[in-house]
Amino acid sequence: SQMTHKPIAVFLGIRESGKSTLSSSLGKIIFGPSFATSTMPKSAHDLAVVLNKAPYLVIDNVDEEPKGEMLDTLAAIATGSGSANRELYTSLNVAAFVPHSFIAITTRSIPFTRDDIVSRLLPFSLRHLEGGEMIPPSFLIETMMENRNKIWAEIIANLNVIVKILRANKRLQAALGSDYVPLRCETRLADWETFGWH
């Protein structure tokens, strides 16, 4: 919820390159072994409802560009925009929806052509491992679950470093007042746009 703009992660690769396994593994580490990928909801409303409950959603096998309102919803999620509708069974009450979800999609080729979507994609290109036989996803997931505590220990250690930096910046901002200038981020979401177009 602290990160308004959320890039849409794209796990890109040929068949059996590990797109679904890798993208869902992130969910399994965080939420447990019951986490699973989903198919693309049938409507923009359905997508909004799912995203209201899912902090991390993996949409599997998105090989065709969604149409109409679905694209508008995806763009709104990436930019942190919300929506408001009349609350059911009331006349004047408004129900506001602000997405807090991170979305990942798996695809064989990036299906998006709309520039405001393409510029917000974070692509991860995957390929077959060279040499040796493929390892079954069930074995990978079982091994990952056995080592979940170790993985979380490393995540928490890294998170503490990030929190320490944020606290130091906050103290620096308080000390400098109006003279405080935040460090610039040299990476923009739009830097991935060229990759998306090709």
Side-chain angles (χ1 to χ4, degrees):
S1 61
Q2 298 299 312
M3 187 174 178
T4 305
H5 293 259
K6 297 175 174 63
I8 298 173
V10 178
F11 292 85
L12 174 69
I14 62 175
R15 180 176 172 267
E16 295 183 346
S17 58
K19 305 180 297 292
S20 300
T21 301
L22 180 57
S23 57
S24 64
S25 292
L26 301 174
K28 290 180 186 301
I29 289 170
I30 298 170
F31 303 108
S34 62
F35 182 88
T37 61
S38 303
T39 57
M40 180 65 83
K42 297 187 182 297
S43 70
H45 175 74
D46 291 341
L47 178 59
V49 169
V50 170
L51 291 171
N52 199 29
K53 298 293 183 184
Y56 174 60
L57 176 68
V58 178
I59 305 174
D60 208 8
N61 297 317
V62 182
D63 293 317
E64 293 184 6
E65 184 170 31
K67 305 298 181 189
E69 290 183 3
M70 190 73 80
L71 276 178
D72 294 337
T73 300
L74 288 172
I77 289 157
T79 58
S81 300
S83 63
N85 295 295
R86 180 179 63 84
E87 189 175 324
L88 292 177
Y89 312 114
T90 66
S91 298
L92 299 175
N93 293 346
V94 174
F97 163 70
V98 178
H100 297 296
S101 302
F102 284 86
I103 294 182
I105 68 169
T106 70
T107 182
R108 287 173 291 181
S109 62
I110 292 181
F112 301 106
T113 57
R114 204 170 111 172
D115 59 352
D116 62 341
I117 298 285
V118 172
S119 65
R120 292 176 172 92
L121 299 180
L122 178 58
F124 296 94
S125 184
L126 305 176
R127 62 181 187 275
H128 289 293
L129 295 174
E130 295 180 7
E133 295 182 6
M134 292 183 62
I135 301 172
S138 57
F139 175 78
L140 293 173
I141 291 168
E142 182 180 337
T143 304
M144 183 179 61
M145 289 296 103
E146 288 175 357
N147 293 282
R148 188 177 178 213
N149 289 342
K150 294 178 182 177
I151 295 171
W152 263 112
E154 187 170 338
I155 291 171
I156 295 300
N158 291 333
L159 182 60
N160 283 329
V161 171
I162 293 169
V163 169
K164 183 178 179 180
I165 293 169
L166 292 175
R167 285 181 175 166
N169 283 340
K170 192 171 183 180
R171 286 194 298 271
L172 186 62
Q173 183 177 7
L176 295 177
S178 60
D179 293 330
Y180 173 74
V181 178
L183 294 175
R184 292 186 324 175
C185 177
E186 300 296 338
T187 304
R188 304 166 306 142
L189 289 178
D191 291 335
W192 295 297
E193 185 168 355
T194 303
F195 178 90
W197 282 113
H198 299 290

